[in-house]
Amino acid sequence: MLVNGKHYRTVWFEKDKIKMINQLVLPHKFEITELKNVSDVALAITSMVVRGAPAIGATGAYGMVLAILKGDNPEKAAEVLRGTRPTAQDLFHGIDYVLESVKNTDDSQLKHAALKAAEDYANWSVEACKSIGEHGSQVIKDGNIIATHCNAGWLATVDWGTALSPIYAAKRQDKKIEVYVDETRPRLQGANLTSWELLNEGIPHYIITDNATGYYMSKREIDLMIVGADRVARNGDFANKIGTYEKAVVAKENGIPFYVAIPSTTIDVLTENGSKIPIEERDENEVHFIGKERITPRGARAKNPAFDVTPAKFVTGIITERGIFRPEELSKVFSKK
Ligand code: MRU
């Protein structure tokens, strides 16, 4: 991604530290955060300095490198990191990839092997997201208006994005496109992050309220919708940011194609269907407060599920690094853990 003309990844490893773009202060400040140990990494993931499934997957992989550099017990460190966010499948992939890669390595090579594995994982993720863009751009036609939800762009990945990657590829193909970005309460990833990315990429867009997507779909102002996912079950049901389910239902009602864009690290072949995906419940204060200001009456209670599950029957196609598949094709194409 280019920020003020300079190329950045969302997360990277430099001089025994993890560095990452601090997503808590965007869009008004651009700041790099440094993490020095596993506790820093766990806090950055839970507080959402870094968020988005593939980005936290790479952070988990780099977190394992820090654990090994500091001489922590790798299994214990993996447990801590796995406990940070329960829904995103990529997190478990990133951690397990490093653990598996160093399993039979002797002590003198351990640090080097761990860093190599984490770098390989992050580089693979970048290439996968780039391919998602190339495949996904085929469903975007010149003149289309595309809706998206939350942030599944470069900030949610190491680079390129998932749902936004086809949009960036379509722009490079000189297709004239517009994007409708919903705000994404309560954390406002759409309003704060997706809009900032699209401005950086020079892509025309409107921010709409979360409840306006159905209205624009019913007026046929939206041509297609592309979202990301935190976990896709074997049958193609998927978990994504809260509010995705209702948008998919309204899209189907109005005959609007609805795509999910994911790297294969988001697929959980061991989970049979969406009802088995654990859904993260976050602090109710994320609903009560916008920034420092309380918007609800004191004493009121709130519920705050971070994700919902959309059944596969609402999905037109799943855009992956290997092409676009129907949900029912997924388990055959990606059969291994
Ligand atoms: O709670 P977040 O901001 O981590 O949720 C992010 C999403 O729901 C994204 O759509 C998903 O992780 C896919 S990111 C490429």
Side-chain angles (χ1 to χ4, degrees):
M1 72 191 81
L2 283 181
V3 183
N4 302 324
K6 189 173 170 210
H7 179 261
Y8 285 89
R9 284 184 171 189
T10 301
V11 53
W12 68 98
F13 202 87
E14 195 180 306
K15 295 189 186 137
D16 292 358
K17 286 181 203 125
I18 299 175
K19 294 197 174 182
M20 55 177 54
I21 297 174
N22 181 353
Q23 302 193 36
L24 294 177
V25 297
L26 284 171
H28 302 300
K29 262 198 211 161
F30 182 76
E31 200 176 270
I32 305 300
T33 297
E34 295 186 353
L35 314 177
K36 300 189 182 96
N37 53 46
V38 171
S39 324
D40 288 353
V41 180
L43 187 62
I45 297 174
T46 50
S47 66
M48 294 171 68
V49 171
V50 63
R51 31 69 47 203
I56 62 176
T59 305
Y62 286 133
M64 290 308 300
V65 179
L66 282 185
I68 288 167
L69 282 180
K70 303 281 165 196
D72 298 344
N73 177 309
E75 290 295 342
K76 279 200 183 136
E79 259 336 282
V80 170
L81 294 176
R82 282 196 198 102
T84 51
R85 294 198 78 185
T87 307
Q89 178 67 9
D90 299 65
L91 176 63
F92 311 124
H93 258 287
I95 295 166
D96 290 346
Y97 186 81
V98 175
L99 267 184
E100 283 287 310
S101 306
V102 302
K103 213 161 61 187
N104 299 317
T105 310
D106 66 61
D107 281 357
S108 65
Q109 293 301 311
L110 200 57
K111 292 175 185 170
H112 173 76
L115 182 57
K116 181 176 181 314
E119 294 292 19
D120 287 350
Y121 184 86
N123 291 337
W124 178 89
S125 188
V126 170
E127 288 311 311
C129 287
K130 192 171 177 210
S131 297
I132 288 169
E134 281 149 17
H135 294 298
S137 65
Q138 293 164 22
V139 303
I140 300 176
K141 297 193 186 68
D142 196 34
N144 274 174
I145 295 181
I146 307 132
T148 191
H149 181 52
C150 192
N151 172 267
W154 12 274
L155 290 165
T157 62
V158 183
D159 209 348
W160 297 101
T162 57
L164 296 190
S165 187
I167 292 172
Y168 298 146
K171 163 90 182 341
R172 285 193 302 280
Q173 294 157 8
D174 284 332
K175 290 176 187 162
K176 205 169 149 297
I177 47 172
E178 256 181 22
V179 185
Y180 284 13
V181 178
D182 65 33
E183 289 175 291
T184 321
R185 279 277 294 148
R187 300 283 305 212
L188 298 171
Q189 291 95 327
N192 290 343
L193 306 177
T194 300
S195 175
W196 181 78
E197 276 193 29
L198 292 172
L199 280 171
N200 268 282
E201 293 279 341
I203 295 183
H205 63 281
Y206 292 97
I207 298 167
I208 60 174
T209 57
D210 288 330
N211 7 23
T213 315
Y215 168 71
Y216 287 115
M217 283 184 173
S218 72
K219 283 167 55 94
R220 303 293 192 282
E221 238 180 90
I222 290 170
D223 296 296
L224 71 156
M225 181 150 196
I226 313 180
V227 299
D230 282 77
R231 194 187 298 213
V232 181
R234 199 160 65 224
N235 71 341
D237 295 351
F238 72 99
N240 190 47
K241 181 52 55 196
I242 190 76
T244 302
Y245 167 56
E246 59 195 39
K247 287 167 191 25
V249 174
V250 179
K252 183 149 188 165
E253 166 72 12
N254 289 283
I256 293 167
F258 187 95
Y259 291 93
V260 184
I262 50 150
S264 51
T265 43
T266 304
I267 303 169
D268 177 5
V269 288
L270 301 180
T271 293
E272 191 188 332
N273 62 51
S275 70
K276 309 261 164 55
I277 300 177
I279 298 296
E280 177 184 3
E281 241 343 285
R282 291 187 62 87
D283 195 310
E284 66 177 293
N285 282 330
E286 291 185 348
V287 178
H288 291 309
F289 288 83
I290 294 190
K292 291 201 170 86
E293 192 169 340
R294 181 158 186 138
I295 57 159
T296 58
R298 274 176 211 292
R301 296 180 61 200
K303 287 191 170 207
N304 187 15
F307 304 100
D308 59 24
V309 172
T310 302
K313 67 177 177 186
F314 295 107
V315 176
T316 311
I318 302 185
I319 306 167
T320 73
E321 73 273 14
R322 287 168 60 184
I324 305 177
F325 301 100
R326 298 269 320 136
E328 59 275 15
E329 294 175 303
L330 208 65
S331 61
K332 278 203 197 92
V333 182
F334 300 96
S335 54
K336 289 206 200 88
K337 183 175 181 293

